Amino acid sequence: MTVVTRFAPSPTGYLHIGSARTALYNWLFAKHHAQYGSGGRFLLRIEDTDRQRSTQQAVDAIIDGLRWLGLDWDGEALSQFSRIARHAEVAHQLLAAGNAYKCYCTPEELQEMRDAARRAGRPVRYDGRWRGRDPAEAPKGVDPVIRLKATTEGETVIDDLVFGHITVGNDQLDDMVLLRADGTPTYMLAVVVDDHDSEITHIIRGADHQRNSFRQLQIYRAQGWQAPLFAHLPLIHGADGAKLSKRHGAVGVETYREEGFLPEALCNYLLRLGWSHGNDEIISRDQAIEWFGLDAVGRSAARFDRDKLASVNGHYIRQTADAALVDLVLPRLKASLKGGFAVDASTRLMKGMAELKERAQTLVELADNAAFYAHTRPLPMDGAAAKTLDTAARSRLRALRDRLAGVDGWSAAGLEKATRAYAEGTAVKLGQVAQPLRAALTGGTASPGIFDVMEILGRDESLGRLDDVLAAAK
RNA sequence: GUCCCCAUCGUCUAGCGGUCUAGGACAUCGCCCUCUCAAGGCGGGAACACGGGUUCGAUUCCCGUUGGGGACGCCA
């Protein structure tokens, strides 16, 4: 049997980090079955029936996010809105079959009903007052909604692929609205119809949909349709243990992209957040496809830990080819350095990347650390660097300057040798010379090995930067 | 309030009755390396929520308590 999964986001303006994980799991599940089972497809459907919220930009944000993460879908993305006629058709079938009925309650009446229930400590739900009522009693001028005539006795059980048996009494499920007064379908109806028509076999979605699944199951039953299998994913929480939302800060995938996280790293982190394969932490996409299964998905909610994400990102940065990192970092540097962007920045970055990438957890950090390579003279000094360049340090640099200038070939090894010889000759620790050098050449107090830096900068640039500092001292 | 679900280090997790004096990763602390910062190596501290069962034996199974989360829309 071919597995068919889907990701069905509603366009809210960004791809939520939790939705991204849901998409990833659906994608992996389908890919796994495509490669190691008897077939798998992953579909994308945009739940855009709420016309107010659904803008093209919001849809684009989701699609961009998925593309960036490398989660491709089979076929065209389906617009749920394009299928409202079909949804209405099913609602009317349900009505004709006696599995649904018209309800003439006004929104105010429903609100009162809920308030009263809450006050009395009763469960808050529709009391079914139009369930058996004669439509002849319908009030004038009120357009009815169509509600499902839900089963009231017994219980509904889901054999959840991650939670196991979950049960709810049918008396807990009320007669939900299928078709609004204006004739448009509700989410509850549209999802079921679309999932059925698309022949979805596995619905993998957040645990916040658990209750919806029970209710939707009743629609499948009423239509005599075979229901798909359900797998609910524990939610991702913020540091405070509550469902991850805007108030927790960055919640959209594109924010992480801007903050310099690699898509592979984000996917790896998200994969491990709620799913495990023994003690494996860094898992390639191919391995993930091979190993992924719903049985290893955890059942408790996980807190989003940015530090761990950053650590994983650091791993991926170190794994990424130098040239690719240069391409990623160059635009960031051009934007931040503006006019101070040196012509041979790209060449220097390429040479220095191997050492640079050991020292960064994000592309933002990488760009910051690489800025001294890309900057034109004179280099700006940060506070600590300026402090390092005190009178004593400057005089040492002045003495060292010509020795360096005399080094044949300007290689890191030769420069180091000359510097060490100078330090030994003047009974000064290497650090007392190397740190001022670092400050003068990079404008900071932390950098890759300073002799490598000098080699990459080249003789003219290095000496020039040194002279800038020495001249400023006069 | 009603219903559903969850429960191992600070965090993510391994564990699927005895292999547990509970393993890994992130974070944290210390040491090594060292021209700085990283990376890397070594090491330390840190958890089975509680109470009952079941069993020869429970982190693992069952029940309860406590704690936490989610859902209760003519939103999706």
Side-chain angles (χ1 to χ4, degrees), chain A residues 230-252:
Chain A
F230 290 92
H232 293 96
L233 269 16
L235 300 182
I236 296 178
H237 286 173
D240 62 350
K243 188 176 173 179
L244 196 65
S245 64
K246 286 118 300 195
R247 68 191 174 79
H248 289 104
V251 92

Side-chain angles (χ1 to χ4, degrees), chain A residues 320-372:
Chain A
T320 302
D322 295 351
L325 290 173
V326 171
D327 287 344
L328 252 14
V329 145
L330 235 33
R332 289 175 186 267
L333 285 170
K334 276 179 186 154
S336 62
L337 265 31
K338 299 193 176 72
F341 187 83
V343 281
D344 31 12
S346 173
T347 330
R348 292 183 198 152
L349 247 37
M350 193 57 216
K351 291 180 186 163
M353 192 50 78
E355 275 199 273
L356 247 17
K357 70 182 180 184
E358 295 286 319
R359 297 166 164 76
Q361 288 197 313
T362 67
L363 297 177
V364 170
E365 252 183 76
L366 187 61
D368 282 350
N369 296 344
F372 76 89

